[in-house]
C-alpha cells in the first residue's frame, strides 16, 4: 500500500500572495518624497547671484557662503525648504543652494589695489583694509624697504588675505598683523 501524501499548496501562488501583501503595505505607508536639495543636476535651475560691483562678490555673502534660489523643473515633486511636499511648475523656489564666496566687509577691491600699487610703501592699503598696526609699521619702514609693498600688492591683487586673517589669533601683545605676529609667534615658540 502506498502512502498518500497531502497536496502541497503551489509555491508560485504563495509567492504571488506574499508580493501582493508587501505591495499593499508599501503603498499604504507611502514613500517619502525626495528633498529638493537632493535633486540631480538638470532637475533644477539656480539663478545667478546678484554681484556687488564694488566688491565683485555676491551681495548676501556671510561666513564665506551665499545662497542662491533654485527652481525645480516642471512636474518634479519634492520637499521644499519648509519640509512640505510640493509639485513644482518650474516657477517656485524649491531650495536655496549655498555657494562659496569671500567676505570682503564692504571694502572696494579696486580702491585696495590702487592704494597698494601707488601708496603701499606708506601703508595706506593696510590702513584702508583695517590693519592699522601693519600700516604704521609699513609707513615707518617705507614698506619694509619695498619688499612688503610688493608682497601686499600681490596678495591684494589675488584677493588672498587669508594668511593675514589666519594669524590674527597668533598675536602677542595685541599686535594682530602679519608679519610681526607671525615672527613673534615663531620666535616665542622657539624660546
Amino acid at each position: 500500500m502506498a502512502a498518500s501524501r497531502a497536496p502541497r499548496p503551489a509555491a508560485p501562488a504563495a509567492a504571488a500572495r506574499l508580493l501582493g501583501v508587501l505591495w499593499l503595505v508599501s503603498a499604504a505607508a507611502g514613500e517619502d518624497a525626495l528633498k529638493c536639495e537632493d535633486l540631480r543636476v538638470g532637475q533644477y535651475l539656480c539663478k545667478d547671484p546678484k554681484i556687488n560691483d564694488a566688491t565683485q562678490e555676491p551681495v548676501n555673502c556671510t561666513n564665506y557662503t551665499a545662497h542662491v534660489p533654485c527652481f525645480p523643473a516642471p512636474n518634479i515633486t519634492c520637499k521644499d525648504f519648509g519640509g512640505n511636499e510640493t509639485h513644482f511648475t518650474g516657477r517656485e523656489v524649491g531650495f536655496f543652494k549655498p555657494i562659496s564666496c569671500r567676505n570682503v566687509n564692504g571694502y572696494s577691491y579696486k580702491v585696495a589695489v590702487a592704494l597698494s600699487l601707488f601708496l603701499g610703501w606708506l601703508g595706506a592699503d593696510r590702513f584702508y583694509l583695517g590693519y592699522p598696526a601693519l600700516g604704521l609699521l609699513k609707513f615707518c619702514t617705507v614698506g619694509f624697504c619695498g619688499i612688503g609693498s610688493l608682497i601686499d600688492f600681490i596678495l591684494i591683487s589675488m584677493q588672498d588675505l587669508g594668511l593675514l586673517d589666519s594669524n590674527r589669533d597668533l598675536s602677542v601683545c595685541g599686535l594682530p598683523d602679519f608679519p610681526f605676529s607671525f615672527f613673534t609667534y615663531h620666535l616665542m615658540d622657539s624660546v
Side-chain angles (χ1 to χ4, degrees):
M1 202 188 237
S4 66
R5 293 186 182 172
R8 286 185 1 191
R17 275 189 238 134
L18 180 62
L19 286 175
V21 169
L22 290 176
W23 179 81
L24 281 174
V25 169
S26 68
E31 294 182 15
D32 288 338
L34 184 67
K35 287 184 178 180
C36 292
E37 296 90 12
D38 297 333
L39 291 175
R40 294 181 181 174
V41 175
Q43 292 181 326
Y44 62 90
L45 179 66
C46 295
K47 281 191 169 184
D48 291 329
K50 185 177 178 186
I51 302 295
N52 184 334
D53 291 332
T55 62
Q56 296 298 307
E57 291 295 328
V59 173
N60 60 351
C61 181
T62 54
N63 296 328
Y64 300 101
T65 305
H67 297 279
V68 294
C70 294
F71 303 87
N75 299 322
I76 296 283
T77 302
C78 61
K79 288 186 180 179
D80 61 7
F81 54 86
N84 303 320
E85 188 173 324
T86 308
H87 183 77
F88 290 93
T89 62
R91 295 186 200 125
E92 303 93 359
V93 175
F95 64 99
F96 291 93
K97 183 177 181 182
I99 59 170
S100 63
C101 60
R102 296 185 198 141
N103 290 352
V104 292
N105 299 328
Y107 296 113
S108 172
Y109 170 71
K110 293 175 185 176
V111 170
V113 170
L115 285 172
S116 182
L117 180 63
F118 298 113
L119 298 174
W121 58 277
L122 292 174
D125 53 349
R126 289 297 164 188
F127 282 112
Y128 175 73
L129 292 173
Y131 297 93
L134 186 57
L136 184 61
L137 193 60
K138 280 179 68 176
F139 178 77
C140 293
T141 61
V142 189
F144 300 113
C145 299
I147 296 171
S149 297
L150 178 65
I151 291 171
D152 273 351
F153 178 72
I154 293 169
L155 288 175
I156 291 171
S157 297
M158 293 178 7
Q159 296 183 4
D160 186 19
L161 297 177
L163 178 65
L164 298 173
D165 291 334
S166 65
N167 286 323
R168 282 186 173 257
D169 59 344
L170 302 178
S171 65
V172 177
C173 303
L175 296 174
D177 295 317
F178 181 83
F180 183 75
S181 64
F182 179 77
F183 294 121
T184 304
Y185 176 78
H186 287 290
L187 287 174
M188 297 298 281
D189 190 37
S190 64
V191 174

